[in-house]
């Protein structure tokens, strides 16, 4: 027996698989990260208390049980560096380690924000020249996600490579790679979220610098025009999404501004079709029940979190109605049909053409907003209120 045990230990120790499993970093973001971020509602006013309250609410509203995990502190937590270069939080955040411990005690994870330039977008201290130190500091606090925002680094690029966009791009990529190396060197698994914008096409190079998600647009706002403009920019980026690597059309505005219920539903549904990170950005302490039920619709969340990790595509548009599909694990298919127009009759009547979705004959499915079984048929007239959506999961498309 003893010989057998020690022999198998030797075999285990020598096996390449065992060696790999000892050194391989823990994979993160195998499905799009879910959670909440402080920026869209609190912006520069966010405090330690807001983060704690939000963590409490994520638990008590059922959001945690629905998959929301990361509680992310965005910009304006930063204070000054001391004589040793150590970055301190400002008076709004008296003790980051205690805050991280609190969030962890709820079974949640905590995210933080910095950038490769000297200053963040809101003008606070960022990480340029202090990447290793900051990564170590974040790890010592127990941080689980870093959003790293370009902002003032663009000025650095322009100063270091004036008039040479290609050299500027190399500097940008190198800056993101530097922080990735520093994060990996801590040994703590952290999701790495790149915040850059469309003009630098981060979907093309984000994965090569360790990014798990990369912003694909400038900032979202809580109004339909902006949400729809962002959505339109996502068509064509499908090929760049896969487990561990996600296009990020920005954080959710569900429950913010004056979005109608239809707009909130359509926004949430389409972010799920896009395999986008689902980072709520609303005031969780004062969340209306109808917003809570949108954010915790488990079947829509399941589309977002589908383990195949394939981003949905716009298949066709007719007038102002758009038809998108997303291929899911097990051969299932999600179909989303929404009216982008400003009135119910903007495209009337709309008739669904199943053959354009490569579907043939009646398709049995489930309407994910009514929870009822439904059948999509060829040439079916579908009437949708302005900015509203029909989202159907077809388990066995034919
Ligand atoms: C940029 C980002 C936002 C937010 C702010 C903070 O605008 O795109 O998401 O992080 O900076 O200053």
């Amino acid at each position: 027996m003893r010989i057998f045990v020690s022999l198998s230990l030797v075999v285990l120790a020598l096996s390449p698989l065992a060696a790999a499993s000892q050194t391989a970093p823990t994979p993160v973001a195998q499905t799009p990260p879910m959670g909440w971020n402080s920026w869209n509602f609190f912006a520069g006013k966010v405090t330690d208390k807001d983060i704690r309250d939000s963590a409490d609410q994520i638990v008590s509203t059922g959001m945690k049980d629905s998959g929301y995990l990361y509680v992310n502190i965005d910009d304006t937590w930063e204070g000054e560096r001391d004589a040793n270069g150590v970055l301190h939080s400002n008076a709004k955040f008296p003790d980051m380690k205690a805050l991280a411990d609190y969030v962890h005690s709820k079974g949640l994870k905590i995210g933080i924000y910095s950038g490769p330039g000297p200053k963040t977008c809101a003008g606070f201290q960022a990480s340029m020249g202090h990447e290793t130190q900051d990564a170590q500091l974040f790890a010592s606090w127990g941080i689980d996600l870093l959003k790293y925002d370009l902002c003032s680094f663009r000025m650095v690029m322009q100063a270091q490579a004036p008039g040479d966009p290609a050299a500027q791009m190399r500097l940008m990529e190198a800056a993101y790679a530097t922080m990735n190396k520093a994060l990996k060197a801590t040994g703590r698994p952290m999701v790495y979220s790149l915040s850059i914008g469309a003009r630098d096409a981060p979907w093309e190079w984000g994965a090569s610098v360790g990014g798990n998600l990369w912003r694909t647009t400038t900032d979202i706002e809580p109004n339909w025009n902006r949400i729809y403009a962002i959505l339109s920019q996502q068509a064509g980026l499908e090929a760049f999404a896969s487990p561990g690597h996600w296009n990020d059309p920005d954080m959710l505005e569900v429950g913010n501004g004056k979005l109608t219920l239809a707009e909130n539903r359509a926004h949430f549904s389409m972010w799920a079709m896009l395999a986008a990170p689902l980072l709520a950005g609303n005031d969780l302490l004062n969340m209306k029940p109808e917003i809570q039920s949108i954010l915790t619709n488990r079947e829509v969340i399941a589309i977002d979190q589908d383990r195949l990790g394939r981003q949905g595509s716009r298949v066709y548009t007719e007038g102002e109605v758009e038809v998108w599909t997303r291929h899911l694990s097990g051969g299932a298919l999600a179909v989303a049909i929404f009216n982008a127009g400003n009135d119910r009759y903007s495209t009337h009547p709309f008739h669904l053409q199943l053959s354009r979705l490569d579907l043939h004959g009646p398709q049995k499915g489930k309407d994910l907003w009514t929870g009822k079984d439904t059948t999509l048929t060829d040439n079916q007239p579908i009437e949708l209120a302005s900015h509203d959506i029909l989202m159907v999961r077809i388990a066995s498309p034919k």
Side-chain angles (χ1 to χ4, degrees):
M1 183 64 177
R2 192 177 297 157
I3 293 170
F4 172 73
V5 169
S6 52
L7 258 183
S8 48
L9 280 180
V10 171
V11 171
L12 204 66
L14 292 178
S15 115
L17 248 182
S21 71
Q22 278 163 15
T23 52
T26 312
V28 291
Q30 293 303 290
T31 60
M34 289 181 66
W36 176 90
N37 173 295
S38 61
W39 187 255
N40 283 356
F41 181 75
F42 290 103
K45 295 199 184 83
V46 66
T47 65
D48 174 288
K49 181 172 185 308
D50 297 327
I51 299 296
R52 287 172 193 250
D53 287 348
S54 301
D56 293 348
Q57 291 298 112
I58 288 172
V59 175
S60 65
T61 57
M63 287 175 71
K64 180 185 168 202
D65 289 341
S66 306
Y68 294 84
L69 190 60
Y70 290 90
V71 181
N72 296 342
I73 311 167
D74 207 279
D75 204 352
T76 79
W77 65 267
E78 311 86 342
E80 296 304 321
R81 290 188 189 278
D82 64 22
N84 298 319
V86 177
L87 182 58
H88 293 266
S89 50
N90 61 38
K92 297 190 295 153
F93 289 90
D95 186 339
M96 293 302 259
K97 174 80 173 77
L99 177 56
D101 288 348
Y102 183 80
V103 171
H104 288 149
S105 77
K106 302 273 157 182
L108 299 168
K109 294 185 181 288
I110 186 162
I112 209 165
Y113 172 100
S114 190
K119 291 281 160 69
T120 67
C121 292
F124 289 70
Q125 290 295 326
S127 295
M128 191 164 109
H130 296 275
E131 294 83 356
T132 301
Q133 209 169 13
D134 287 359
Q136 296 287 345
L137 179 70
F138 299 154
S140 75
W141 288 342
I143 296 296
D144 305 296
L145 176 150
L146 174 67
K147 174 173 168 183
Y148 208 49
D149 206 345
L150 185 74
C151 272
S152 67
F153 193 75
R154 198 173 291 284
M155 261 97 82
V156 174
M157 289 152 47
Q158 283 158 354
Q160 290 188 4
D164 187 345
Q168 290 179 14
M169 274 307 298
R170 286 195 292 277
L171 288 169
M172 186 191 303
E173 292 177 37
Y176 276 89
T178 299
M179 183 48 102
N180 178 49
K181 213 169 141 204
L183 292 174
K184 298 293 182 297
T186 68
R188 183 174 178 84
M190 284 188 243
V191 173
Y192 191 27
S193 157
L194 317 188
S195 186
I196 299 157
R199 79 188 229 210
D200 303 300
W203 48 86
E204 285 176 3
W205 53 271
S208 72
V209 296
N212 300 113
L213 52 149
W214 40 81
R215 283 276 297 277
T216 54
T217 67
T218 48
D219 291 7
I220 196 167
E221 293 160 22
N223 64 72
W224 175 260
N225 285 347
R226 183 69 195 129
I227 290 167
Y228 180 63
I230 288 183
L231 172 63
S232 304
Q233 279 178 269
Q234 309 312 303
L237 300 185
E238 300 88 319
F240 301 98
S242 64
H245 306 112
W246 309 104
N247 293 308
D248 174 8
D250 208 356
M251 304 165 298
L252 295 166
E253 292 282 18
V254 174
N256 284 341
K258 294 193 170 66
L259 293 172
T260 64
L261 270 189
E263 290 167 346
N264 280 310
R265 237 187 335 259
H267 171 29
F268 192 65
S269 306
M270 289 313 297
W271 262 231
M273 291 296 285
L274 293 171
L278 294 182
L279 296 169
N282 57 323
D283 178 10
L284 299 180
L285 268 183
N286 296 294
M287 177 162 54
K288 294 194 177 119
E290 56 272 28
I291 297 301
Q292 184 176 340
S293 75
I294 291 175
L295 286 173
T296 55
N297 182 322
R298 300 246 184 145
E299 291 184 295
V300 174
I301 291 172
I303 303 293
D304 181 75
Q305 296 287 299
D306 185 79
R307 62 186 160 78
L308 206 55
R310 278 184 70 182
Q311 181 173 326
S313 311
R314 182 164 58 198
V315 185
Y316 76 96
T317 62
E318 194 181 303
E320 292 182 294
V321 174
E322 302 202 357
V323 184
W324 291 62
T325 59
R326 178 171 172 187
H327 291 277
L328 305 168
S329 52
L333 186 75
V335 179
I337 306 164
F338 72 93
N339 176 3
N342 289 334
D343 70 74
R344 176 181 291 265
Y345 302 104
S346 50
T347 308
H348 188 76
F350 168 80
H351 288 100
L352 179 63
Q353 303 300 317
L354 284 181
S355 59
R356 295 181 78 171
L357 312 185
D358 206 19
L359 297 174
H360 307 283
Q363 305 291 321
K364 284 195 178 141
K366 187 165 185 188
D367 179 327
L368 301 187
W369 287 110
T370 63
K372 293 195 177 128
D373 289 342
T374 187
T375 301
L376 296 177
T377 55
D378 201 29
N379 213 31
Q380 179 180 348
I382 294 176
E383 197 176 306
L384 292 161
S386 168
H387 307 167
D388 210 347
I389 192 158
L390 171 69
M391 191 175 186
V392 175
R393 183 181 190 279
I394 302 169
S396 307
K398 294 179 287 206

